[in-house]
Amino acid sequence: METNSSSPPFPGNHSTCSRDNVVKTMVFPVLYSFLFLVGLVLNGVAVWVFFRIPSKSHFIIYLKNIVVADVIMTFTFPFKVLSDSNMASTGLRIFVCRVSSVLFYVTMYISILFFGLISIDRCIKTLRPFRGTNAARLVRRKILSGAIWTFLLVLCLPNVILTRKTPSSPYFKCGDLKTEAGLYWHQVVNHVCQIIFWCNLVTVIISYTLITKELYRSYSRSTGGTISRATSGASTRKHHQAKRKMNANVFLVLAVFFVCFVPFHFARVPYTMSQTQGVLFDCKLKLFFFQLKESTLFLSSLNSVLDPLIYFFLCKSFRTTLFKTLQLAPGTCSRLTGRGSEMDTVSTI
């Protein structure tokens, strides 16, 4: 979470180091407005579909939690648009600092945690494809999901409570509203969030390394079998083509994680240094790191519209329910997803 999530204009300051340039006040507001509209539609459909799907697997439980996080994140975008474009009143900018930006980061790290859990789940599903589930395991996953939400909300609640100072002028940063205890707790939350990200990054890398090895072994075995069974070559080739497509779909989670979350956390390190050790950075360098942070933060926001790809390509129940609701044949998107029976080996039921 950032103390500078809201940066007002500085009267009379036309320096190239001012944060209020065309990128911040026009480009990003337009991009976030588009993201809000697309996210509202896609996540609205996701909520509508998942409301009809019972929580009968770990994967579906995790996806439902990500849907909720994405919906909340999407509703924070209009406030960021108004704040960044300098169209927000003082009261609204205070709300952004106290509530909206806090919810944005809470939902981001909730998504990161559930991406880690999904990676573990996909790894187990690949290594032990016939391992089933039961009611007790589902209850434990629901309790774990509730614990994640409770932990992060309780962790970040002081950021809301301790951001209560009255701004001394219309031109303030979010950090100006924090009490001394609030600034200290803000640093604590930053460190905890960094730990959450790096631990989940390691989890994702290990999980998909194991998945890759297992898929390669499986592909090698099936390829060897194909050579010895020339008589069924045509049908076997079709099977392998569908399976390779299925295998590629598994890596959507990895792709979304790396596109959305990794750049921001690497850019955040020099940005934080430029804010806490200002004497080492001149104004233009600070501006560069700020724009880098905002650009990668937008990539993190893309998570809210990329997640529906995961729901569609990896969750068979989602596709089936969507097709039934829209009265489409299950094979409508077979060219994109591969045949359903083959997808089930790594997608949820």
Side-chain angles (χ1 to χ4, degrees):
M1 294 158 195
E2 311 294 342
T3 57
N4 298 301
S5 58
S6 177
S7 180
F10 297 94
N13 183 1
H14 301 287
S15 167
T16 56
C17 293
S18 172
R19 288 184 174 184
D20 289 310
N21 52 36
V22 67
V23 175
K24 175 185 176 293
T25 61
M26 293 185 64
V27 175
F28 280 123
V30 170
L31 291 175
Y32 276 102
S33 297
F34 176 75
L35 206 61
F36 170 70
L37 295 175
V38 176
L40 200 61
V41 173
L42 293 181
N43 288 298
V45 171
V47 170
W48 180 51
V49 172
F50 273 121
F51 184 76
R52 293 162 169 76
I53 300 176
S55 300
K56 57 184 179 181
S57 73
H58 304 163
F59 189 47
I60 290 178
I61 292 173
Y62 300 152
L63 291 182
K64 285 185 175 181
N65 280 274
I66 291 179
V67 170
V68 175
D70 287 345
V71 169
I72 296 173
M73 176 182 281
T74 299
F75 279 109
T76 68
F77 294 158
F79 300 106
K80 183 170 178 60
V81 168
L82 292 173
S83 179
D84 286 353
S85 61
N86 298 330
M87 296 173 60
S89 64
T90 299
L92 185 56
R93 284 174 44 222
I94 291 174
F95 174 81
V96 170
C97 292
R98 293 194 65 190
V99 179
S100 178
S101 63
V102 173
L103 284 176
F104 175 89
Y105 285 102
V106 166
T107 54
M108 178 197 296
Y109 286 98
I110 284 174
S111 293
I112 287 172
L113 281 167
F114 280 104
F115 265 79
L117 291 174
I118 286 174
S119 298
I120 294 172
D121 181 75
R122 295 300 83 189
C123 182
I124 293 173
K125 188 72 174 178
T126 302
L127 298 178
R128 302 171 64 184
F130 302 107
R131 182 176 183 266
T133 187
N134 54 47
R137 286 177 182 160
L138 293 178
V139 170
R140 287 197 292 269
R141 295 309 182 277
K142 291 177 182 178
I143 293 174
L144 175 62
S145 300
I148 288 173
W149 280 89
T150 301
F151 168 73
L152 279 170
L153 288 172
V154 170
L155 177 71
C156 296
L157 183 60
N159 278 335
V160 177
I161 298 172
L162 299 175
T163 306
R164 63 169 185 261
K165 292 173 68 176
T166 302
S168 56
S169 76
Y171 313 110
F172 62 88
K173 301 176 184 177
C174 289
D176 298 334
L177 305 180
K178 295 183 181 294
T179 63
E180 185 175 347
L183 290 171
Y184 171 76
W185 189 254
H186 177 83
Q187 295 300 320
V188 171
V189 174
N190 275 342
H191 291 312
V192 172
C193 288
Q194 287 285 357
I195 292 171
I196 288 173
F197 168 74
W198 291 106
C199 288
N200 278 274
L201 177 62
V202 171
T203 298
V204 169
I205 291 174
I206 292 174
S207 296
Y208 278 91
T209 299
L210 294 174
I211 289 172
T212 302
K213 288 181 177 179
E214 178 60 27
L215 292 179
Y216 178 77
R217 283 196 293 265
S218 176
Y219 178 75
S220 298
R221 288 194 298 267
S222 62
T223 302
T226 302
I227 296 174
S228 63
R229 294 190 300 272
T231 55
S232 60
S235 61
T236 305
R237 279 196 298 272
K238 289 182 180 180
H239 172 78
H240 291 327
Q241 288 172 357
K243 192 166 185 177
R244 282 196 295 272
K245 193 177 293 183
M246 172 268 294
N247 292 346
N249 290 339
V250 178
F251 291 92
L252 273 175
V253 175
L254 182 67
V256 172
F257 186 90
F258 269 81
V259 168
C260 293
F261 301 125
V262 172
F264 171 72
H265 286 86
F266 277 93
R268 189 176 182 175
V269 174
Y271 170 74
T272 302
M273 291 178 62
S274 72
Q275 299 301 302
T276 58
Q277 303 177 29
V279 293
L280 301 179
F281 300 85
D282 61 26
C283 193
K284 290 184 179 180
L285 197 54
K286 287 182 181 180
L287 175 61
F288 170 77
F289 287 131
F290 169 75
Q291 292 177 335
L292 181 64
K293 187 267 294 185
E294 286 295 307
S295 299
T296 54
L297 187 65
F298 177 75
L299 290 179
S300 295
S301 304
L302 279 177
N303 172 65
S304 63
V305 299
L306 292 179
D307 286 341
L309 293 176
I310 295 174
Y311 313 150
F312 184 82
F313 284 101
L314 286 185
C315 185
K316 182 173 181 286
S317 297
F318 183 90
R319 292 194 307 278
T320 302
T321 304
L322 179 63
F323 292 156
K324 283 183 179 179
T325 304
L326 298 178
Q327 297 182 338
L328 297 174
T332 301
C333 294
S334 60
R335 285 176 295 181
L336 293 175
T337 61
R339 299 192 65 83
S341 61
E342 290 158 347
M343 285 288 292
D344 288 348
T345 56
V346 288
S347 68
T348 190
I349 299 173

